Amino acid sequence: MHTAEHNAFRELVRSFVEREVNPQVESWEREGEMPLHDLFRQMASLGMMGLTYDPAYGGQGAEHRFTMILAEEFGRSDHGALPMALGVQVEMATPSLHEFGSEELKRRFLAPTLAGDVVAAIAVTEPDAGSDTAAIRTSATRDGEEWVINGSKMYITNGLQADWLCLMAKTSPEGGHHGMSQIIVPTDTPGLSTGKLDKLGMRASDTAMVALDDCRVPVANTIGEVGRGFQQQMRQFVVERMWAVYTTVGACQRALERTIAYAKDRKTFGKRLVDHQHLQFVLADLLAELDLLRVYNEALVDAYQRGEDTRREAAIAKIKAGRLARDVAEWAIQIHGGLGYMEETWTSRFLRDNWLVGIGGGSTEIMQRIIVGLDVLGDSEA
């Protein structure tokens, strides 16, 4: 149920996106980077950071529905890069730290992150381990009270601007999902280096490969229990997927609004595009799918706020969101015709950016395995 407070927050976020974000998107896309520290400080000053986190560390202590609203409204950005970067900061790199981190780690890393003073990134994926998280090779070997970390990470969003990484590493020789830990690694740690990756879309998002060569960090930087990193990361993946599906609703809503407005102006064969019956049917189907996803997301929020395990529901929503984003992108280009195929038109960027919904945070095929109970967790969720 949405209250006046929810609606006021939505207006605040939408105003920020329209005033502070969309006018800058073209320059950010050309530069291949956004000023995340400045942007996150602005957002923090408006109460947009750590919405559900403990106020003791700079959070807002709010219910999860505010996170959904934040994601939906940032989904209305003129690109997908900033919504993704923000999602990493508030729903991908920090949930484990907030839930399992020590008091010292929360003070040193969570509080400044929620204040927007530092940028965080999540470092799980590797060149040979994407959706198969259990296959990671990066190792952390204990030497006294320090971890010595060696390995590499790939496709790390915010990786070039990040001040610290929530990094997954093997901390014991056990195979599979056993013996992994989440470790906070400051990016100024000697032996850590980054390189920028060139992508099809999300071009304003600094995405990096990270190399770790005998990087030493305190064992006290371990988030939660040593050896439980895989289980903690699986919980973190759930809220990451939820963020993605929330942003997809906002993105598809705005894309359809823009496409319908164009179809009302453009005339072919003596009448407006929108007056052609086939296009009316296409648009009706897309709007119906969007409404179904929006309503499903509301039910997902309710279940999450009741403390239920939403792993399966998040997987269902992510599959539907990924397919809807691609369908909306395809028809936005088709309805715009040759104009839609031009680089200067928003439709081409929408296609490039939103294709990632079906890949990032676990591929569609992994989501299908989760739905039928064949995910890689086995009995390790407990």
Side-chain angles (χ1 to χ4, degrees):
M1 179 178 179
H2 289 255
T3 66
E5 189 177 5
H6 292 130
N7 295 334
F9 183 69
R10 186 181 295 278
E11 291 178 11
L12 171 69
V13 180
R14 184 171 297 191
S15 175
F16 180 85
V17 169
E18 293 174 349
R19 186 183 68 252
E20 304 293 339
V21 175
N22 286 344
Q24 309 300 325
V25 164
E26 292 298 333
S27 63
W28 293 341
E29 290 281 313
R30 287 193 300 269
E31 295 165 6
E33 190 173 279
M34 300 169 287
L36 292 183
H37 288 85
D38 292 340
L39 285 166
F40 288 167
R41 286 191 194 99
Q42 282 184 274
M43 295 177 201
S45 70
L46 294 171
M48 297 181 190
M49 288 287 184
L51 290 171
T52 61
Y53 290 172
D54 190 334
Y57 310 106
Q60 307 302 314
E63 61 175 355
H64 183 72
R65 182 162 271 104
F66 283 94
T67 297
M68 183 191 73
I69 293 169
L70 179 72
E72 281 185 358
E73 292 305 316
F74 267 90
R76 296 177 65 88
S77 303
D78 282 345
H79 68 169
L82 184 54
M84 182 170 66
L86 176 60
V88 169
Q89 184 88 348
V90 298
E91 291 295 317
M92 301 177 202
T94 51
S96 286
L97 175 56
H98 181 258
E99 185 173 1
F100 302 108
S102 67
E103 180 67 20
E104 179 186 1
L105 288 181
K106 291 177 184 179
R107 295 291 180 191
R108 286 179 55 205
F109 294 100
L110 182 61
T113 300
L114 299 186
D117 293 331
V118 301
V119 173
I122 179 74
V124 176
T125 302
E126 298 183 1
D128 297 318
S131 293
D132 185 5
T133 305
I136 69 168
R137 297 181 179 178
T138 297
S139 65
T141 304
R142 186 160 185 165
D143 181 14
E145 293 304 311
E146 290 184 322
W147 291 121
V148 182
I149 305 174
N150 286 281
S152 61
K153 297 294 181 179
M154 186 67 76
Y155 314 131
I156 307 307
T157 300
N158 299 352
L160 298 179
Q161 296 186 67
D163 297 286
W164 62 271
L165 308 175
C166 174
L167 179 135
M168 178 92 90
K170 294 178 65 174
T171 48
S172 84
E174 294 179 82
H177 58 257
H178 301 285
M180 296 184 185
S181 301
Q182 290 178 310
I183 304 169
I184 291 181
V185 181
T187 54
D188 60 0
T189 301
L192 187 151
S193 59
T194 60
K196 186 173 184 178
L197 298 173
D198 193 16
K199 309 183 298 298
L200 170 69
M202 301 290 188
R203 294 177 179 175
S205 169
D206 58 302
T207 306
M209 59 179 296
V210 178
L212 303 110
D213 184 11
D214 285 342
C215 293
R216 289 179 170 268
V217 299
V219 172
N221 277 23
T222 306
I223 299 173
E225 183 181 343
V226 172
R228 294 288 295 175
F230 184 90
Q231 291 78 13
Q232 292 171 190
Q233 181 56 45
M234 291 306 104
R235 293 167 66 95
Q236 201 161 243
F237 274 148
V238 174
V239 289
E240 174 178 346
R241 292 162 188 161
M242 290 162 65
W243 176 272
V245 300
Y246 301 157
T247 59
T248 299
V249 165
C252 288
Q253 179 70 52
R254 187 155 188 261
L256 286 171
E257 290 170 358
R258 298 171 88 172
T259 299
I260 291 170
Y262 176 80
K264 288 180 177 178
D265 288 338
R266 174 70 170 166
K267 290 186 177 181
T268 61
F269 301 100
K271 59 182 178 180
R272 300 180 306 168
L273 270 179
V274 76
D275 293 325
H276 291 272
Q277 191 177 58
H278 176 65
L279 286 187
Q280 293 175 2
F281 293 164
V282 167
L283 291 169
D285 284 345
L286 292 173
L287 288 167
E289 289 296 320
L290 177 59
D291 273 4
L292 287 171
L293 181 60
R294 181 185 287 110
V295 172
Y296 191 87
N297 283 354
E298 291 282 356
L300 177 58
V301 168
D302 289 339
Y304 186 78
Q305 290 184 166
R306 289 193 298 268
E308 297 176 13
D309 178 2
T310 57
R311 182 159 43 105
R312 185 174 184 275
E313 289 77 6
I316 292 171
K318 189 172 180 298
I319 287 177
K320 301 302 289 186
R323 291 172 178 168
L324 177 61
R326 294 179 184 185
D327 287 345
V328 169
E330 176 186 352
W331 277 105
I333 290 177
Q334 191 70 12
I335 290 171
H336 281 78
L339 180 63
Y341 195 66
M342 295 297 102
E343 183 70 19
E344 66 191 40
T345 308
W346 66 270
T347 50
S348 59
R349 182 185 298 146
F350 185 87
L351 173 70
R352 293 195 309 270
D353 287 0
N354 288 282
W355 200 268
L356 187 61
V357 178
I359 300 173
S363 67
T364 294
E365 294 73 24
I366 294 296
M367 298 303 102
Q368 291 168 326
R369 287 172 62 87
I370 291 172
I371 291 168
V372 297
L374 296 175
D375 60 289
V376 296
L377 275 180
D379 294 328
S380 64
E381 182 72 10

